[in-house]
Amino acid sequence: MRKLSLGLLLLTLLLIGGPLYMWQFGGIDTRGDWRSADRTIAGLAPAPSETPAAVVQVYSARAFNWRGIFAVHAWVATKPENADSYTLHQVTGWGRPALSSRVGTPDRAWFGSQPTLHATLCGSEAESAIARIEAVLPKYPYREHYRAWPGPNSNTFVAWLIREVPELDVALPSSAIGKDYLGGSVLAATPSGTGVQLSLAGVLGAAAGLREGLELNIGGLVLGIDPTALGVKLPGVGTLGLREGGRHRGDCPPLPAERS
């Protein structure tokens, strides 16, 4: 009985410790105004003027205001071959429909939070991915719906898109609350297609996959092991690892941030 109590205490500390850390040391402005929040460009996207090849990128950034203590917001950017701009595909809580596909800057800060690039596809692989993305977007089952917790939200959409588009082959960060929301389903393949996921409305579940590693979801907060980053997954914090887990594939030019 004592061991069980200690185990529950440790689990509770792990679940609340990560968000508390992010609150105190994560650099998140919980009183920010979206009208004046930072929207600078990070230099993570190939410039269309210098990149005739097709490009697809997957990003996330800390959610706005206090939500950033717990979670990130994810989106996907596409640029067809010879296009002069990117289209951003994402779900937000203020739009109707919730899912939008609009021309924009892929690597702009998300209302005060700098973006993290999880994957870049270029060339023929990106062309194939864009064709699939354009074909499946109308089929997204929650186009008109948004719920910050436990989903469907922005991360639910990107996880769904990764499942539908094999070329993406991306594992979203464990702090992408909503990625585990499966609607009326309980069992599914992990978004990368390399494992199996069990989820009860995104509130309770577990996952095991080659790309995702091992995850335990309690109330949307995830504990786990990240094999690609050689690290651990902590609630709120995400992955603490020895190496980056992102992917950069195809004939992509150096990114502006890499040239500077």
Side-chain angles (χ1 to χ4, degrees):
M1 194 65 171
R2 185 178 179 182
K3 289 183 178 180
L4 178 61
S5 298
L6 288 174
L8 290 175
L9 176 60
L10 177 60
L11 179 61
T12 301
L13 290 175
L14 287 172
L15 289 174
I16 67 174
L20 286 175
Y21 173 86
M22 294 303 300
W23 181 30
Q24 292 296 319
F25 306 108
I28 297 168
D29 185 1
T30 59
R31 299 181 180 179
D33 186 334
W34 65 269
R35 291 167 295 188
S36 59
D38 178 28
R39 294 287 278 159
T40 57
I41 298 171
L44 298 174
S49 60
E50 302 174 7
T51 313
V55 180
V56 177
Q57 292 186 305
V58 180
Y59 288 93
S60 75
R62 284 284 157 182
F64 177 64
N65 211 302
W66 62 268
R67 294 178 179 84
I69 295 171
F70 299 92
V72 299
H73 164 82
W75 66 96
V76 175
T78 59
K79 185 195 78 66
E81 185 177 15
N82 295 319
D84 59 4
S85 62
Y86 283 89
T87 298
L88 309 187
H89 310 280
Q90 61 187 330
V91 163
T92 61
W94 59 81
R96 290 296 179 270
L99 172 60
S100 66
S101 296
R102 298 190 179 99
V103 171
T105 304
D107 53 342
R108 190 182 296 276
W110 181 254
F111 299 101
S113 298
Q114 287 298 305
T116 296
L117 176 61
H118 299 291
T120 299
L121 308 180
C122 290
S124 59
E125 192 172 15
E127 289 180 36
S128 177
I130 290 172
R132 289 183 190 267
I133 290 171
E134 293 177 348
V136 303
L137 279 177
K139 303 176 184 178
Y140 178 58
Y142 312 111
R143 292 177 59 85
E144 304 286 345
H145 303 285
Y146 175 89
R147 185 169 55 185
W149 180 90
N153 58 24
S154 62
N155 302 317
T156 308
F157 164 66
V158 175
W160 176 87
L161 195 61
I162 292 170
R163 285 190 175 91
E164 298 292 321
V165 183
E167 290 88 349
L168 291 180
D169 188 24
V170 182
L172 287 177
S174 58
S175 50
I177 291 178
K179 71 181 180 63
D180 299 322
Y181 182 82
L182 301 177
S185 300
V186 175
L187 192 66
T190 56
S192 71
T194 63
V196 178
Q197 178 179 3
L198 173 70
S199 180
L200 301 177
V203 176
L204 185 66
L210 295 179
R211 294 282 287 117
E212 289 83 3
L214 298 176
E215 293 186 353
L216 175 64
N217 171 5
I218 301 176
L221 300 175
V222 172
L223 288 162
I225 299 173
D226 189 334
T228 61
L230 297 179
V232 295
K233 302 180 180 184
L234 299 176
V237 176
T239 294
L240 293 178
L242 297 178
R243 65 186 184 191
E244 295 292 330
R247 294 188 169 193
H248 191 74
R249 304 199 305 275
D251 188 20
C252 292
L255 301 178
E258 295 173 337
R259 294 199 298 265
S260 61

